[in-house]
């Protein structure tokens, strides 16, 4: 930061309906800097010669605690979490007008929340109102996210421990789903098995809404309805991962509902699996962000041509974008506190170089809808295979490991 004052608020509580709230999830930036999980909390960082951290949080309130549960209160939060100071949240506006006086810059996540932006402008105006007493207001508003994104992109040992735990629990959940799946069940019943496995291992929430998509539903990329019956002969695509200590896991597996791949299903599955292997092999320091995607795409396009889904040379199919009828998304994203985690993919116009400590997903897929110019044998096949990968000093480590080969999957599905 150099000089200035940063203000980072946790997420607001949101109403679900009437007087019922959604389960509270802290803001990822705030949590990254504090580890503090209560709502109604703000971190202020003062940079410069005498740097300090100040937490604003809810006061102890025995009456409210009877209804809503324990609160640290400023004193216990300060000592328990290691802030230099802590103050009641009700003092925030008054304190900000003081803290921002004679500071060159205010760091904030401008644009994230309109009400919060208005409040921050109010502090600046409060400082400006003191001008005649010789106080100057910050001349600059800077985006704190620019600094934090790059810190969050590289995971330390402690963060990786949480991510490994999330990955292991989600791995177990996917294998449980494979074991219990059989024709006649419904997508929501498989979703319930995933949730059971997440929660019984201490995860308080999935990292994102689980996709449990049987048959043609797998071709809807963000399908979350999860209501349909599982039909014999179809595939089931599951994209689900739990959150542990705020850190996400994100796994997709696709497997036959009755336990055996048909010929065309197996062909496409092996193709996507080969594309994923090529992409994972391209995850290592020195490669840039786009190289795993390019590696996966090269494999997929050759397959699309071999199976008669696309016509022409690989170069022409890539050039024309014809492959996008079957593969319309990217091959991965950064993974961390947010499932689609922060961090630049490009810098100064060039794809970001992969470096040790970065975590990303590798998730090629193939989605074949019913269409006149596509062989009917391939209709309604939607396949994605997604794993979580850590860039290491000499390559990468795959953190997630549910059954993935045709043999391993066929040995597992329906065995419960
Ligand atoms: Zn993903
Ligand atoms: Mg996913």
């Amino acid at each position: 930061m150099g000089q200035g004052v940063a203000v980072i608020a946790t997420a607001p509580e949101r109403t679900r309906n009437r007087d019922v709230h959604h389960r509270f999830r802290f803001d990822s930036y705030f949590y990254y800097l504090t580890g503090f999980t209560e709502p109604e909390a703000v971190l202020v960082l003062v940079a410069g010669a005498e740097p300090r951290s100040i937490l604003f949080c809810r006061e102890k309130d025995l009456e409210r605690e009877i209804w809503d549960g324990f609160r640290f209160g400023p004193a216990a939060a300060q000592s328990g979490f290691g802030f230099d100071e802590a103050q009641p949240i009700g003092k925030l506006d008054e304190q900000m007008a003081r803290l921002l006086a004679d500071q060159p810059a205010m760091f904030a996540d401008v644009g994230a929340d309109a009400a919060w932006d208005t409040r921050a402008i109010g502090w600046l105006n409060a400082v400006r109102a003191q001008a005649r007493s010789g106080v100057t207001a910050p001349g600059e508003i800077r985006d704190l996210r620019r600094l934090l994104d790059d810190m969050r992109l590289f995971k330390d040992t402690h963060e990786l421990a949480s991510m490994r735990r999330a990955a292991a629990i989600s791995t177990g959940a996917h294998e449980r789903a494979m074991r219990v799946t059989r024709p006649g069940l419904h997508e929501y019943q498989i979703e319930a098995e995933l949730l059971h496995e997440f929660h019984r291992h201490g995860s308080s929430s999935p990292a994102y809404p689980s996709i449990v998509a049987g048959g043609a539903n797998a071709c809807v990329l963000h399908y979350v309805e999860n209501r349909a019956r599982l039909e014999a002969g179809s595939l089931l695509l599951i994209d689900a991962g739990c959150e542990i200590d705020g850190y996400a896991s994100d796994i997709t597996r696709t497997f036959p509902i009755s336990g055996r791949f048909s010929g065309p299903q197996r062909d496409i599955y092996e193709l996507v699996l080969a594309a994923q292997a090529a992409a994972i092999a391209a995850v290592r320091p020195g490669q840039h962000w786009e190289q795993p995607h390019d590696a996966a795409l090269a494999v997929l396009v050759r397959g699309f041509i071999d199976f008669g889904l696309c016509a022409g040379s690989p170069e022409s199919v890539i050039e024309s974008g014809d492959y996008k009828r079957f593969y319309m998304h990217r091959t991965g994203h950064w993974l961390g506190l947010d499932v689609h985690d922060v961090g630049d993919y490009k810098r100064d116009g060039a794809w970001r170089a992969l470096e040790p400590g970065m975590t990303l997903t590798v998730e090629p897929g193939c989605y074949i809808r019913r269409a006149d110019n596509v062989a009917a044998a391939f209709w309604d096949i939607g396949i994605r295979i997604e794993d979580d990968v850590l860039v290491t000093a000499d390559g990468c480590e795959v953190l997630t490991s549910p059954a993935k080969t045709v043999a391993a999957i066929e040995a597992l599905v329906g065995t419960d």
Side-chain angles (χ1 to χ4, degrees):
M1 286 168 62
Q3 296 273 330
V5 175
V7 193
I8 309 104
T10 197
E13 292 177 285
R14 297 284 190 206
T15 304
R16 182 176 184 274
N17 56 329
R18 192 122 170 116
D19 59 348
V20 175
H21 286 90
H22 282 285
R23 178 180 284 200
F24 179 71
R25 167 54 158 81
F26 42 76
D27 173 78
S28 295
Y29 290 110
F30 175 85
Y31 175 76
Y32 181 74
L33 292 171
T34 64
F36 195 69
T37 57
E38 287 182 19
E40 295 187 274
V42 174
L43 174 69
V44 175
L45 296 174
V46 182
E50 287 170 40
R52 65 208 157 103
S53 59
I54 309 162
L55 178 78
F56 290 84
C57 67
R58 301 185 301 195
E59 289 190 89
K60 292 295 285 179
D61 180 336
L62 294 181
E63 172 67 16
R64 281 319 319 162
E65 288 182 53
I66 287 170
W67 291 90
D68 302 329
F70 174 79
R71 307 171 165 197
F72 277 93
Q78 183 190 340
S79 55
F81 290 79
F83 301 104
D84 296 317
E85 267 178 55
Q87 305 247 8
I89 187 72
K91 290 240 159 71
L92 181 68
D93 290 325
E94 146 197 344
Q95 291 295 310
M96 285 314 297
R98 191 177 62 81
L99 289 165
L100 287 168
D102 294 326
Q103 289 285 348
M106 178 174 76
F107 291 76
D109 53 348
V110 179
D113 182 86
W116 188 250
D117 289 350
T118 307
R119 200 162 165 191
I121 290 165
W123 303 329
L124 292 176
N125 286 336
V127 185
R128 287 178 191 130
Q130 305 166 50
R132 266 182 255 165
S133 54
V135 170
T136 38
E140 262 186 283
I141 299 176
R142 294 180 57 188
D143 194 342
L144 188 71
R145 290 169 295 195
R146 299 300 305 164
L147 302 176
L148 290 175
D149 287 356
D150 228 53
M151 295 171 67
R152 284 178 52 185
L153 182 53
F154 294 88
K155 274 69 179 180
D156 66 22
T157 316
H158 178 81
E159 295 179 284
L160 287 172
S162 296
M163 292 187 70
R164 283 201 168 87
R165 240 185 96 211
I169 295 167
S170 298
T171 293
H174 276 263
E175 295 208 327
R176 180 189 181 103
M178 289 182 197
R179 285 196 305 272
V180 302
T181 292
R182 58 177 191 276
L185 290 179
H186 289 75
E187 292 164 345
Y188 52 79
Q189 290 170 293
I190 307 303
E191 183 181 16
E193 299 287 341
L194 296 163
L195 290 174
H196 177 85
E197 200 68 12
F198 293 166
H199 289 314
R200 82 188 189 95
H201 288 291
S203 165
S204 50
S205 174
Y208 54 94
S210 304
I211 297 171
V212 182
N217 295 337
C219 297
V220 179
L221 295 179
H222 293 156
Y223 178 82
V224 289
E225 224 174 295
N226 302 351
R227 302 305 302 171
R229 189 175 183 275
L230 301 178
E231 304 297 344
S234 291
L235 296 173
L236 179 60
L237 181 153
I238 298 177
D239 185 344
C242 71
E243 183 178 290
I244 285 286
D245 302 332
Y247 286 84
S249 55
D250 181 3
I251 303 179
T252 309
R253 285 294 184 268
T254 312
F255 55 90
I257 288 164
S258 26
R260 302 286 294 179
F261 285 94
S262 74
Q265 288 170 349
R266 186 189 175 116
D267 286 343
I268 301 295
Y269 187 86
E270 298 274 22
L271 174 66
V272 175
L273 190 59
Q276 200 213 23
I280 290 173
V283 177
R284 59 176 186 274
Q287 300 280 97
H288 64 64
W289 171 261
E290 193 71 341
Q291 276 165 309
H293 175 71
D294 290 342
L297 191 58
V299 173
L300 288 172
V301 164
R302 250 178 284 127
F304 294 167
I305 294 167
D306 289 348
F307 295 130
L309 297 167
C310 292
S313 66
E315 298 73 36
S316 69
V317 171
I318 289 174
E319 174 69 28
S320 68
D322 188 40
Y323 67 87
K324 289 181 183 164
R325 289 187 290 133
F326 310 110
Y327 184 46
M328 59 298 281
H329 62 74
R330 312 284 311 167
T331 302
H333 49 81
W334 302 128
L335 182 74
L337 283 170
D338 296 312
V339 62
H340 296 164
D341 208 27
V342 297
D344 291 331
Y345 292 97
K346 264 190 178 179
R347 265 210 173 153
D348 305 322
W351 291 108
R352 188 83 189 251
L354 297 176
E355 294 178 57
M358 293 172 162
T359 44
L360 58 141
T361 66
V362 179
E363 49 177 311
C366 174
Y367 314 90
I368 311 175
R369 283 166 197 73
R370 290 168 186 246
D372 291 341
N373 56 354
V374 172
F378 292 116
W379 286 359
D380 297 339
I381 293 180
I383 292 169
R384 179 165 63 255
I385 307 173
E386 173 176 29
D387 284 293
D388 303 345
V389 175
L390 163 69
V391 184
T392 59
D394 50 6
C396 70
E397 178 190 338
V398 181
L399 305 174
T400 44
S401 56
K404 189 154 75 167
T405 63
V406 165
I409 286 173
E410 290 190 341
L412 204 56
V413 174
T415 50
D416 248 23

